[in-house]
Amino acid sequence: MEKKVAMPLRKLGSSELFVGAIGMGGMPLSVNGRPSESQSIEAIHAAIEQGITFIDTADAYCLNDSENGHNERLIAKALKQHPEVVVATKGGHIRPNGAWVTDGRPDHLRQACEDSLKALGVEAITLYQFHRPDPSVPFAESVGAVADLQREGKIVHIGISNVSVTQLEAALLVTKVVSVQNRMNLFDRSSLDVLKRCEELGIAFLPYSPLTGMGSAGNIGDNETLSRIATAHGASAQQIALAWLLQLSNIIIPIPGSSRKANIINCAEAINVKLTSEDMALLHALAK
């Protein structure tokens, strides 16, 4: 691996915000199999030490609806002395008995935002993202509710998540969007069309599950091509997967989830990997 470099910055869409090129997803800190609070805070602090200044959370990152906002409260506690870190949260999911259920009703989104403000301990949420389209609620109504919250000063910037190009275009008819958060990784390119449209519009793209998701990230090195490239660079397979995303587009800010200090440090060091054009071609072929 090349000599270690400082975490480069990337612009969060059309906002005035610049954050570390690699962010952190908070979900593993609050769902099944989560670590202790002290271990979670240690992982967050390790991320900051590596130059990570963007953390993604959601009110629904919890075990069930009895502890809604668990992840937001945890992150707020860890960041008391770190105002430089941008926290993005989401609303639009509920967790009845631990299930994942969409709720895009304007009334729900308003209450969810109020609850997130309290959980995060802020007067305005820097980036509030509509978590997932609700098939029982017109998409424009849900996005419109978030736009109303922005006009009221409760949120600063708006993002959307789990959307198609058509839904992105529909959202833009309602309000300004600075980010899109969709699933994308070496083996899942289903949102490449959304990424392309975001590039054309200057909207940040935040790929979640950039290492294929919880429970499987540790196994991506089983892929022969990925393992061979990692060995050639003196890097981990996870670092190669993140480096591929970083070099795929300069609007991408991967948000790998991590519940352990060592894992988030490993992810952050992906910025030291410079893939060749041959590497990129081989990695592109993995999804074919």
Side-chain angles (χ1 to χ4, degrees):
M1 190 183 299
E2 297 182 6
K3 183 179 178 181
K4 184 175 181 179
V5 298
M7 177 71 72
L9 300 179
R10 291 196 169 181
K11 198 166 186 286
L12 194 61
S14 58
S15 77
E16 74 289 354
L17 299 172
F18 285 83
V19 298
I22 294 176
M24 177 180 182
M27 182 178 173
L29 303 176
S30 293
V31 294
N32 289 327
R34 69 194 187 192
S36 67
E37 181 177 289
S38 62
Q39 290 173 318
S40 296
I41 291 175
E42 180 183 52
I44 294 170
H45 287 171
I48 297 169
E49 290 168 4
Q50 294 298 307
I52 289 174
T53 57
F54 181 85
I55 297 181
D56 177 79
T57 182
D59 60 350
Y61 291 169
C62 55
L63 295 177
N64 53 57
D65 55 5
S66 71
E67 57 166 27
N68 194 61
H70 178 276
N71 198 241
E72 294 170 319
R73 290 188 293 274
L74 175 64
I75 288 170
K77 184 174 183 178
L79 297 182
K80 282 184 177 179
Q81 305 303 320
H82 296 280
E84 74 278 12
V85 177
V86 173
V87 177
T89 193
K90 299 183 287 293
H93 259 302
I94 54 176
R95 301 297 312 282
N97 299 314
W100 291 88
V101 179
T102 55
D103 191 342
R105 293 173 299 130
D107 287 349
H108 168 73
L109 291 171
R110 175 169 293 278
Q111 185 59 56
C113 180
E114 294 288 355
D115 292 343
S116 290
L117 285 166
K118 293 177 183 176
L120 292 169
V122 296
E123 294 184 0
I125 296 168
T126 304
L127 175 60
Y128 193 77
Q129 305 162 98
F130 178 39
H131 204 151
R132 186 182 294 272
D134 182 345
S136 66
V137 179
F139 185 66
E141 286 187 18
S142 299
V143 176
V146 179
D148 287 342
L149 292 164
Q150 184 185 50
R151 283 188 284 270
E152 294 168 20
K154 298 182 186 296
I155 61 179
V156 182
H157 300 292
I158 294 173
I160 52 179
S161 182
N162 295 295
V163 295
S164 64
V165 171
T166 299
Q167 289 165 330
L168 170 58
E169 299 287 2
L172 292 171
L173 294 175
V174 178
T175 190
K176 180 180 177 181
V177 172
V178 303
S179 65
V180 168
Q181 183 179 148
N182 277 16
R183 179 184 172 92
M184 182 180 285
N185 55 61
L186 273 170
F187 306 99
D188 184 348
R189 319 284 177 80
S190 56
S191 284
L192 278 177
D193 58 339
V194 181
L195 171 63
K196 181 179 179 181
R197 188 61 180 134
C198 285
E199 287 178 324
E200 295 168 349
L201 296 167
I203 294 172
F205 189 88
L206 315 175
Y208 71 83
S209 296
L211 301 176
T212 71
M214 288 178 58
S216 57
N219 300 323
I220 61 173
D222 293 344
N223 180 274
E224 183 179 348
T225 299
L226 192 52
S227 178
R228 186 171 66 252
I229 293 173
T231 299
H233 285 273
S236 68
Q238 291 77 18
Q239 289 166 356
I240 298 300
L242 291 171
W244 174 79
L245 281 167
L246 290 172
Q247 291 182 220
L248 184 63
S249 173
N250 61 12
I251 67 164
I252 284 181
I253 303 170
I255 47 173
S258 179
S259 59
R260 295 174 53 207
K261 174 181 177 179
N263 288 348
I264 195 62
I265 291 174
N266 178 54
C267 289
E269 290 178 347
I271 61 169
N272 298 305
V273 178
K274 303 302 178 188
L275 299 171
T276 66
S277 57
E278 181 182 0
D279 293 334
M280 291 296 287
L282 289 169
L283 292 169
H284 278 307
L286 291 181
K288 295 180 180 178

